[in-house]
């Protein structure tokens, strides 16, 4: 009976991992599609919250925060290794919290990897800052990746157990 409960729990955790990954990945790709449609014809950004938060289309051919590393290994092979490792960790997740963490990280990595393979660049559109002091423009995949990493740090530092 205990084995059956354990198998059921593992299946639920795996379903959460897959659902989080799928939902965030679909939302990321949809928002990028619509932002390209909406923002391509504009010459200036759309202010959402004054100048603090705006929509501004950027095609980023570089890595995180615009770091230029132009070789096949860093653009394609290294992310594939990372995606494979995160899939492994997501499948091995013990708790729902871990499944959410790995689902967010996987969706973020896959969302930008899909852009890079399909287009040769990543579509970014969320622009935050004050006047000329701006954070690098980002997208939903970047947000999911950062939130997943922050949750992972919280889990490592504050959550007891496995």
């Amino acid at each position: 009976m205990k084995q059956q409960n354990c198998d059921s729990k593992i299946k639920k955790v795996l379903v959460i991992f897959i659902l989080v990954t799928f939902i965030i990945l679909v939302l990321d790709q949809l928002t990028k599609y619509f932002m390209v449609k909406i923002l391509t014809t504009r010459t200036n950004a759309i202010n959402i919250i004054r100048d603090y938060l705006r929509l501004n289309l950027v095609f980023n051919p570089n890595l995180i925060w615009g770091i230029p590393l132009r070789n096949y290994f860093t653009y394609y092979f290294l992310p594939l290794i990372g995606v494979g490792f995160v899939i492994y960790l997501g499948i091995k997740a013990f708790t729902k919290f871990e499944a959410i963490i790995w689902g967010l990280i996987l969706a973020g990595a896959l969302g930008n990897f899909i852009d890079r393979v399909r287009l040769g660049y990543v579509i970014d559109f969320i622009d935050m800052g004050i006047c000329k002091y701006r954070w690098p423009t980002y997208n939903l995949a970047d947000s999911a990746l950062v939130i997943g990493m922050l949750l992972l740090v919280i889990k490592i530092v504050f959550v007891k157990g496995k």
Side-chain angles (χ1 to χ4, degrees), residues 27-145:
L27 287 173
D28 172 67
Q29 293 298 302
L30 282 173
T31 56
K32 289 173 181 174
Y33 172 81
F34 286 116
M35 289 300 113
V36 167
K37 293 286 183 200
I38 293 167
L39 298 172
T40 299
T41 58
R42 297 187 58 89
T43 56
N44 56 350
I46 298 173
N47 288 342
I48 302 299
I49 302 174
R50 301 175 88 189
D51 187 43
Y52 307 119
L53 176 64
R54 59 189 186 187
L55 301 176
N56 186 25
L57 189 61
V58 173
F59 300 120
N60 182 4
N62 299 312
L63 293 176
I64 188 168
W65 298 306
I67 298 169
L69 295 170
R70 300 199 181 274
N71 66 53
Y72 186 81
F73 181 76
T74 29
Y75 269 42
Y76 301 106
F77 189 64
L78 197 58
L80 274 179
I81 292 170
V83 163
F85 185 63
V86 172
I87 289 171
Y88 171 78
L89 293 172
I91 290 170
K92 295 292 184 181
F94 290 106
T95 66
K96 294 174 186 175
F97 187 56
E98 289 175 5
I100 291 168
I101 289 170
W102 297 121
L104 287 167
I105 292 171
L106 181 60
L110 282 176
N112 286 336
F113 187 70
I114 288 169
D115 284 6
R116 194 164 311 287
V117 169
R118 190 171 62 92
L119 304 168
Y121 53 83
V122 174
I123 299 167
D124 291 326
F125 57 88
I126 303 170
D127 182 357
M128 289 180 16
I130 300 171
C131 299
K132 67 178 184 175
Y133 303 103
R134 316 290 312 164
W135 187 257
T137 307
Y138 61 98
N139 58 44
L140 190 63
D142 297 329
S143 298
L145 195 54

